[in-house]
Amino acid sequence: QSALTQPRSVSGSPGQSVAISCTGSSSDVGGYDYVSWYQQPPGEGPKLVIYDVHKRPSGVPDRFSGSKSGNTASLTISGLQAEDEADYYCCSAAGDYVMVFGGGTKVTV
Amino acid sequence: EVQLVESGGGLVQPGGSLRVSCAASGFSFSDFWMTWVRQAPGMGLEWVANINKDGSQKNYVDSVKGRFTISRDNARKSVYLQMNSLRGEDTALYYCARWGSGWGWDFWGQGSLVTVSS
């Protein structure tokens, strides 16, 4: 149950796009089509922004998109806005009803 | 409106025990798996344990197996985490979260802080 690997930080200007990678192994990200992403603004609790690798919950802007290739999942934020500044965490299945998070990525706008 | 409200956190000495609770409202509690996720100060999220709809299936991260027990009471719409043999590394904000219809936690509580220190 080792944590998935995410970059410590990414940054972009308003309107730009940023991508956050989430790298695991064939035992987690590569072995299941089960990845979700969470946004955590400073001082707040986590919020689901992507589930089932690429699906958006109701109310999440379509600027957020998810994908997966091999052992790496990705979250892309297009048209970056100031309100997107937060920590982002990926999570993957790592066995039957077992899951593992990434270490988190700080997005700076 | 879906709400998850954690309680029961506090300061406990190493080797001690504590139970945190999560009261749910605004949805049919017995229809959802529930989870505890923790976050140490200044650190990332860590999945701790989950429990299925009727409480018959429970899963834990390796670091808490044999020390923590997750349970639920569907009549009271509550999920619990009993923590025994607590260690300094268990110090964290403990979040209760609902497992949604897709693969992900769609609602989270605000967390209950557990501090393990002498």
Side-chain angles (χ1 to χ4, degrees):
Chain A
Q1 294 172 342
S2 299
L4 308 175
T5 300
Q6 296 182 232
R8 282 285 190 104
S9 64
V10 299
S11 63
S13 300
Q16 288 187 330
S17 293
V18 295
I20 303 168
S21 60
C22 170
T23 302
S25 68
S26 58
S27 298
D28 37 62
V29 177
Y32 306 90
D33 282 333
Y34 292 137
V35 176
S36 53
W37 289 88
Y38 302 86
Q39 176 193 64
Q40 187 177 33
E44 298 184 21
K47 172 190 172 185
L48 180 67
V49 293
I50 293 289
Y51 67 99
D52 287 356
V53 178
H54 62 87
K55 297 177 182 178
R56 280 187 310 277
S58 173
V60 173
D62 59 7
R63 302 183 289 103
F64 291 84
S65 62
S67 63
K68 195 192 85 159
S69 178
N71 295 338
T72 299
S74 298
L75 173 71
T76 299
I77 310 173
S78 306
L80 204 58
Q81 298 185 6
E83 67 206 50
D84 300 332
E85 193 159 284
D87 293 328
Y88 290 81
Y89 296 90
C90 62
C91 186
S92 168
D96 289 341
Y97 307 108
V98 173
M99 43 278 291
V100 62
F101 280 98
T105 298
K106 181 177 180 61
V107 171
T108 303
V109 181
Chain B
E1 178 192 4
V2 172
Q3 284 197 317
L4 299 170
V5 180
E6 299 93 338
S7 61
L11 175 64
V12 60
Q13 292 188 338
S17 298
L18 199 65
R19 187 178 87 155
V20 289
S21 304
C22 171
S25 61
F27 65 100
S28 181
F29 182 72
S30 59
D31 287 340
F32 292 86
W33 284 61
M34 298 296 294
T35 299
W36 288 97
V37 173
R38 67 185 178 183
Q39 186 168 34
M43 303 296 284
L45 301 173
E46 181 183 35
W47 168 75
V48 175
N50 56 27
I51 188 167
N52 69 345
K53 298 174 186 180
D54 64 6
S56 62
Q57 184 171 350
K58 306 170 187 182
N59 303 279
Y60 302 91
V61 67
D62 286 346
S63 60
V64 308
K65 283 180 182 175
R67 300 188 300 123
F68 289 12
T69 301
I70 189 171
S71 62
R72 67 189 295 161
D73 185 335
N74 285 343
R76 295 181 184 273
K77 298 184 180 181
S78 293
V79 60
Y80 309 98
L81 187 67
Q82 176 67 45
M83 301 179 287
N84 299 330
S85 302
L86 282 161
R87 307 166 179 166
E89 55 263 38
D90 297 318
T91 294
L93 188 61
Y94 283 75
Y95 291 104
C96 163
R98 187 183 86 167
W99 190 255
S101 55
W103 204 92
W105 295 283
D106 58 356
F107 285 96
W108 296 67
Q110 286 305 299
S112 183
L113 181 62
V114 173
T115 303
V116 183
S117 175
S118 55

